[in-house]
Amino acid sequence: MLETISAEELARDPGYPGMQPEYLAETVYYAPTRTLSQADLTGFWVLEYRWPNGCTPYGLMFCELALTWAMQYASHHSPLPPTNGYDMRVAGTHLFGSELALESEAVLQARDHRLTQRLPRFVENFQEIWKQEIELLMAANRQIEAYDASGRSPTELADYLVYTREHVRWSWERHFELMYLLLINHVGFYDLCTELTIPHADVATFLQGYDSRISQGDRALWEMVDLARQKDLASWFVGAAAGTDLLERMRSAGGEASRWAVSFDGFLNEWGWRTETVADPLSPSWIEDPGPVLGSIGSLLVAGQQPDFDAKRKAAEDEREAALDAVRSRLSRAEQRDFDQTLESCRKANFLWWNEDHNFYIDYRSGIPMRKAALGLGESLDLADPEDTVFCFYPELLALARGEKKWNELASLVSERKDYYWSWRERRNRIPKFLGVPPDSLSDPILTELDGFTAEFLETLKEDGTATTLKGMPASQGRAQGAARVLLGADRIHDIQPGEILVCEGTTPSWTPAFTKIAGCLTDQGGTLSHAAIVGREYGVPCVVALGNATARIRTGDELELDGGAGTVRILKRADL
């Protein structure tokens, strides 16, 4: 196992060359994003797995708005009684988050009172609330995505930069306000089930088996795979033939290849508003660069026939109903009444379903206009590489667009920042999973239920890397055996071969297509409500989460055996180096 970078070294790092503290604190609710300091090490900080590549200077704007601002905003407006949301630190180019404590007993009581008033109406009307939110989100998405940045003047692009920033902030305010309310309601169900001695890991099973926009997108992707197979086009996607110009060659070839490309354009128009890494301005959308999804189609052609999605959904529904019957059979009549009432509230406002469905409207696409604005400005300024603009901080980009700065004032800094970014990206596998002193407990439901920071998980992080058996949190039932595929980011999911076991820090919506061909999934972080756990249960893929440091202890090619019900992983055979 590689030697981990010490917390002290991370705290000493000054950050990007030329970075000013105010660049991370353009918008502040309770507390700004800051660089990690020595004083922070007395607290507890969790490595943010959703940005495994680290953040560019421009990308830090998204994290400031979507994590720091939006979570703190939502903690007040939801209201979330016990915490003020997330406190964020930047170490090198990587992010660490912590719970932002709520110190005031008076504020806690006021939030409790407001929540008591708001939550019942929210749960009862959630389906209509979410329908209205979708209409608002999609209207905003379509308007901002339709903007053509080519040929624009820097002044015009300054307005678009401001517009995209506001879009990110507004979208993620909606995201976390809804998420906190849904989670608070779900945690109430957990509490009741604990009183009824129902295992924590079983609770999510009671709410699985409901269709979302994400699973619909997976089916649409497989329809493109099946169409390529039916039209005998598989050879186009194999080996050297599947180059970066694949789609253009298919369009110009005529016949079935050209017709498939037209169908693929329709697929992209509906499902291509997504990136391989969430809101990373270095990551082009499928609309801009369809290479990653074409690579996935090629690997899925090799994987064989389309999974029976209807059968998988039916199996998830059957498992859900069988689990409910088993629980009800041992409860008293009074206990059954309480159980069914609380279950019904979670069905009306189903966090597990929403946590997948909302990704299509917010997580997948909200960062795409950011990249368009930055690249448009780079082209307007006639830069040799327009993508260099993402190595500017937002205030610098705005100053460039407004003519308040010249590119030659920033060019040398940008060069230094690119070197800095790539040096830290290459060291991601040496970044510790947490920093500082673990507390006795955490209150924020995102940290506890989504990221899985339980007492058992914190103990797992302290284990050495010599053992061949790993213990984590059961997330999706079933057993699997196969070769490991260790990935730190979703940008290489097309490398996954059918039957492999995915090992990663944690999954986001960008990873979902992989679940149609993997045999199992292991994650460093995550709880029973994490993306990996939810998708694993829906697709019948055995999954163990909260393993702590599986990505450091397992190598690609290691032969693994996992038990998703017991939460255990055995390394049967090490890969040849």
Side-chain angles (χ1 to χ4, degrees):
M1 191 165 67
L2 292 172
E3 183 179 349
T4 302
I5 298 172
S6 71
E8 289 72 23
E9 180 180 348
L10 291 171
R12 286 194 301 268
D13 188 88
Y16 273 109
M19 182 171 69
Q20 303 297 320
E22 58 267 25
Y23 291 170
L24 302 179
E26 284 277 297
T27 308
V28 179
Y29 203 88
Y30 287 121
T33 302
R34 299 186 181 96
T35 53
L36 185 75
S37 70
Q38 191 69 34
D40 291 324
L41 301 184
T42 60
F44 176 66
W45 302 91
V46 178
L47 180 65
E48 177 52 68
Y49 67 84
R50 297 166 187 88
W51 283 270
N53 296 333
C55 294
T56 64
Y58 186 41
L60 285 170
M61 180 196 81
F62 178 89
C63 298
E64 169 211 342
L65 293 173
L67 297 183
T68 307
W69 166 272
M71 290 182 74
Q72 292 173 18
Y73 166 96
S75 72
H76 174 80
H77 287 270
S78 296
L80 177 67
T83 80
N84 277 331
Y86 241 28
D87 203 7
M88 192 62 59
R89 296 291 182 270
V90 184
T93 62
H94 299 283
L95 299 175
F96 285 86
S98 184
E99 186 173 84
L100 187 60
L102 172 58
E103 306 290 351
S104 170
E105 184 64 28
V107 173
L108 179 61
Q109 291 178 5
R111 286 188 183 179
D112 267 331
H113 179 72
R114 298 205 316 272
L115 183 63
T116 301
Q117 298 297 311
R118 185 178 186 189
L119 190 59
R121 290 195 296 270
F122 173 82
V123 169
E124 187 63 31
N125 299 310
F126 175 70
Q127 291 302 320
E128 184 59 30
I129 290 170
W130 182 229
K131 180 181 177 182
Q132 292 172 359
E133 291 286 353
I134 287 173
E135 291 173 356
L136 289 170
L137 285 163
M138 285 308 297
N141 287 334
R142 290 191 180 106
Q143 182 177 5
I144 199 167
E145 290 163 356
Y147 184 89
D148 185 358
S150 60
R152 300 278 185 173
S153 70
T155 302
E156 290 175 307
L157 289 165
D159 289 340
Y160 191 54
L161 278 164
V162 174
Y163 182 16
T164 58
R165 178 183 173 85
E166 179 62 21
H167 180 72
V168 168
R169 184 173 75 168
W170 174 78
S171 299
W172 286 81
E173 287 171 356
R174 312 310 316 124
H175 177 290
F176 282 114
E177 189 170 353
L178 293 167
M179 176 174 277
Y180 272 140
L181 285 164
L182 289 163
L183 272 172
I184 291 166
N185 189 54
H186 192 91
V187 168
F189 189 36
Y190 268 136
D191 291 342
L192 174 65
C193 289
T194 299
E195 292 177 19
L196 300 175
T197 67
I198 298 170
H200 195 90
D202 292 352
V203 178
T205 307
F206 305 149
L207 294 160
Q208 68 185 31
Y210 298 97
D211 201 23
S212 73
R213 285 292 277 167
I214 302 307
S215 52
Q216 292 165 17
D218 288 346
R219 289 197 293 272
L221 178 61
W222 269 99
E223 287 169 7
M224 294 307 305
V225 175
D226 286 347
L227 183 61
R229 184 178 287 114
Q230 292 164 14
K231 302 302 183 182
D232 197 26
L233 299 174
S235 61
W236 283 88
F237 297 87
V238 177
T244 56
D245 63 342
L246 171 61
L247 199 57
E248 287 305 316
R249 287 188 288 109
M250 293 182 79
R251 286 194 181 106
S252 61
E256 296 295 355
S258 179
R259 283 189 281 275
W260 186 92
V262 171
S263 297
F264 183 71
D265 288 338
F267 166 85
L268 285 180
N269 187 52
E270 178 68 14
W271 303 104
W273 299 99
R274 57 183 289 176
T275 55
E276 295 300 290
T277 305
V278 175
D280 180 353
L282 276 179
S283 182
S285 68
W286 287 0
I287 292 285
E288 180 186 341
D289 176 12
V293 67
L294 291 169
S296 291
I297 289 171
S299 66
L300 293 174
L301 280 164
V302 174
Q305 296 300 310
Q306 177 179 152
D308 190 335
F309 288 104
D310 291 337
K312 289 179 181 294
R313 176 55 41 76
K314 182 65 165 57
E317 292 171 353
D318 290 347
E319 184 183 28
R320 178 188 72 212
E321 296 307 314
L324 288 169
D325 288 344
V327 164
R328 290 188 180 110
S329 68
R330 67 173 184 78
L331 298 178
S332 68
R333 188 168 298 177
E335 288 172 336
Q336 279 190 37
R337 183 174 60 251
D338 291 343
F339 177 83
D340 286 340
Q341 286 177 349
T342 312
L343 172 65
E344 182 60 21
S345 77
C346 285
R347 281 177 164 168
K348 288 178 178 178
N350 189 335
F351 173 80
L352 277 79
W353 167 80
W354 178 87
N355 200 37
E356 290 303 293
D357 198 68
H358 84 276
N359 290 316
F360 177 81
Y361 306 101
I362 303 175
D363 298 45
Y364 272 178
R365 63 205 303 161
S366 63
I368 294 173
M370 282 176 51
R371 174 176 166 85
K372 184 194 291 187
L375 266 62
L377 180 59
E379 292 167 358
S380 181
L381 296 173
D382 198 27
L383 302 187
D385 184 356
E387 203 172 63
D388 280 353
T389 51
V390 307
F391 291 94
C392 296
F393 289 93
Y394 171 78
E396 295 172 333
L397 282 182
L398 200 56
L400 283 168
R402 290 173 172 170
E404 298 162 0
K405 274 187 180 294
K406 301 296 183 184
W407 181 253
N408 59 13
E409 298 176 58
L410 292 171
S412 61
L413 267 180
V414 164
S415 179
E416 291 177 47
R417 289 170 181 173
K418 289 167 72 172
D419 291 342
Y420 180 85
Y421 170 83
W422 287 107
S423 70
W424 275 106
R425 180 162 169 168
E426 291 167 1
R427 288 186 282 174
R428 174 68 181 201
N429 57 352
R430 295 178 53 205
I431 303 289
K433 306 301 180 185
F434 77 98
L435 302 173
V437 182
D440 294 334
S441 63
L442 294 168
S443 299
D444 193 299
I446 291 177
L447 281 169
T448 57
E449 305 305 328
L450 268 69
D451 293 347
F453 275 85
T454 63
E456 293 81 5
F457 175 63
L458 297 177
E459 284 301 313
T460 299
L461 294 179
K462 300 171 187 175
E463 295 178 5
D464 63 36
T466 60
T468 57
T469 299
L470 292 73
K471 184 73 172 72
M473 183 184 296
S476 179
Q477 297 281 341
R479 299 187 177 194
Q481 184 172 329
R485 173 69 63 171
V486 182
L487 295 177
L488 294 183
D491 51 345
R492 301 300 304 177
I493 62 171
H494 52 277
D495 290 341
I496 299 172
Q497 300 303 306
E500 290 184 327
I501 293 174
L502 171 63
V503 184
C504 58
E505 292 181 342
T507 68
T508 63
S510 302
W511 296 86
T512 305
F515 281 76
T516 63
K517 59 180 177 177
I518 59 176
C521 180
L522 309 175
T523 66
D524 288 343
Q525 295 184 28
T528 57
L529 300 184
S530 65
H531 175 267
I534 293 171
V535 178
R537 288 188 295 266
E538 294 292 340
Y539 285 12
V541 175
C543 183
V544 180
V545 298
L547 284 158
N549 52 6
T551 52
R553 295 168 64 178
I554 296 171
R555 298 190 295 266
T556 292
D558 287 353
E559 189 72 18
L560 306 179
E561 179 183 74
L562 74 90
D563 186 331
T568 57
V569 182
R570 285 201 306 142
I571 303 173
L572 302 177
K573 182 183 177 182
R574 287 291 188 182
D576 295 332
L577 294 178

